[in-house]
Each structure stands twice: as C-alpha cells, then as structure tokens.
Amino acid sequence: MIRQVYIDRNEGPSVTARELGISRQAVLYFIKEYDLRAEKHRKAEEISKFQ
C-alpha cells in the first residue's frame, strides 16, 4: 500500500500517511526500511527519460 501511494502516485510521506490513516513516522520508517526513496527516484528518472 505504501508503495502505491508513495511511489506510483508520487506523493510525499505526509500525504501517504494521511491517505493510509497511519502516522507519518510509520511511513518514514517503511521508506527507510525498504529503501523506497531510492526506488522512487529511479522510477522518476525512468519517467523523465520518456518525456
């Protein structure tokens, strides 16, 4: 779920937390634990190549 909101919809941690009804700290924990920030940046780079 976090991946869908944070990466696929390209939202920040605060919006992700609000959408999922969990604390921002929990979102930040999962972002760090699963290295989602790097994945988000890789995806953004891939998208920008096509534009």
Side-chain angles (χ1 to χ4, degrees):
M1 295 291 291
I2 291 176
R3 180 173 274 114
Q4 288 176 331
V5 178
Y6 181 69
I7 296 174
D8 296 341
R9 290 178 37 194
N10 197 28
E11 300 289 357
S14 295
V15 173
T16 301
R18 186 173 48 236
E19 292 285 323
L20 298 177
I22 60 176
S23 72
R24 184 175 178 274
Q25 288 177 320
V27 171
L28 292 173
Y29 169 81
F30 284 109
I31 289 170
K32 183 176 181 179
E33 185 70 21
Y34 295 102
D35 201 24
L36 296 177
R37 185 165 289 149
E39 184 177 337
K40 183 176 185 174
H41 290 293
R42 279 193 301 271
K43 185 170 183 169
E45 287 176 7
E46 290 174 12
I47 291 171
S48 67
K49 288 180 185 178
F50 295 116
Q51 294 180 356

